[in-house]
Amino acid sequence: SQTIHQWPATLVQPVGSPLSLECTVEGTSNPNLYWYRQAAGRGLQLLFYSVGIGQISSEVPQNLSASRPQDRQFILSSKKLLLSDSGFYLCAWGGTSGAYEQYFGPGTRLTVT
Amino acid sequence: GENVEQHPSTLSVQEGDSAVIKCTYSDSASNYFPWYKQELGKRPQLIIDIRSNVGEKKDQRIAVTLNKTAKHFSLHITETQPEDSAVYFCAAVNSGTYKYIFGTGTRLKVLA
């Protein structure tokens, strides 16, 4: 069966510091991968999605970037965090070839101070 | 641009009553419509979904209906229980890009 991992689970970072969040998927190959951010009490904001290695679509022009160095690894980065970057970061994986279901990882709760 | 409107934003019902959440989408290329339940502090969980070639789907106390002509789809929960209290999100998925557009969420409270 498929499993999705995210780490760290929680993170407290000062403004201006860098960020690296990692997501890995097990039990499937060539998944679609997604990064979402959820501000407190708010909805799911799609940040990036990837349909293959090196293929990243950006939905929000801001100080975040994403990379997919391996088939089942998705990384979210920032060079300098802003206070507004605080939130619950969720990675998700989905199928391809007509399998549209998407499953979320456990999330990383980021607080920028 | 692509958009999914979801109503209501909050919904309170008495235990045992029914709850209905409605969504409207704009992207004509959407052909898959999932619903997620998110409990406080946890990840969203897929609870039911429907594809564009189906008008209705039921799984025990939950059902989803789709009107593709009107670009509307709805979640129906019958015989609500306190454990149904959560935030529910609808989504519309583009069949070509696999891009998800989520609604803004509905906070459901089931009062005992």
Side-chain angles (χ1 to χ4, degrees):
Chain A
S1 63
Q2 299 85 8
T3 308
I4 180 168
H5 303 279
Q6 280 187 252
W7 63 91
T10 60
L11 192 58
V12 180
Q13 292 283 97
V15 169
S17 63
L19 173 74
S20 181
L21 303 180
E22 189 164 345
C23 171
T24 59
V25 181
E26 296 177 354
T28 186
S29 59
N30 195 31
N32 292 333
L33 296 172
Y34 307 80
W35 277 113
Y36 294 89
R37 179 170 64 197
Q38 189 174 34
R42 305 297 293 274
L44 298 160
Q45 180 187 27
L46 177 63
L47 301 175
F48 301 95
Y49 69 103
S50 172
V51 298
I53 295 175
Q55 300 178 63
I56 310 288
S57 295
S58 173
E59 292 298 306
V60 186
Q62 51 190 20
N63 66 322
L64 298 174
S65 62
S67 62
R68 185 170 178 172
Q70 299 180 44
D71 180 43
R72 290 170 289 177
Q73 183 184 29
F74 206 21
I75 297 172
L76 182 69
S77 303
S78 174
K79 293 181 179 179
K80 288 187 177 182
L81 284 169
L82 307 172
L83 283 174
S84 57
D85 290 324
S86 294
F88 191 36
Y89 286 79
L90 290 154
C91 179
W93 76 272
T96 60
S97 302
Y100 297 105
E101 295 84 353
Q102 185 175 119
Y103 301 96
F104 287 88
T108 295
R109 197 164 300 280
L110 171 67
T111 302
V112 182
T113 60
Chain B
E2 309 128 333
N3 184 47
V4 174
E5 294 186 1
Q6 182 172 347
H7 299 282
S9 57
T10 60
L11 179 60
S12 293
V13 299
Q14 291 292 328
E15 182 178 0
D17 288 350
S18 296
V20 180
I21 303 170
K22 298 181 179 181
C23 290
T24 303
Y25 63 97
S26 61
D27 185 358
S28 299
S30 299
N31 72 337
Y32 173 70
F33 307 91
W35 286 88
Y36 287 81
K37 175 183 180 182
Q38 187 178 28
E39 296 177 346
L40 190 62
K42 297 188 177 181
R43 75 184 89 179
Q45 297 275 9
L46 177 65
I47 57 171
I48 196 168
D49 55 16
I50 192 168
R51 295 185 179 237
S52 59
N53 58 347
V54 176
E56 184 173 359
K57 183 177 178 180
K58 189 174 182 179
D59 182 4
Q60 299 183 3
R61 295 187 297 107
I62 59 174
V64 58
T65 58
L66 171 66
N67 182 330
K68 202 157 193 286
T69 302
K71 296 183 181 174
H72 291 168
F73 57 112
S74 300
L75 177 71
H76 304 253
I77 305 174
T78 59
E79 301 173 18
T80 54
Q81 301 168 2
E83 52 265 38
D84 293 329
S85 297
V87 178
Y88 291 80
F89 291 98
C90 65
V93 183
N94 183 292
S95 59
T97 64
Y98 291 79
K99 179 180 173 182
Y100 270 59
I101 303 296
F102 279 91
T104 49
T106 296
R107 185 173 301 277
L108 174 64
K109 295 181 183 178
V110 180
L111 307 172

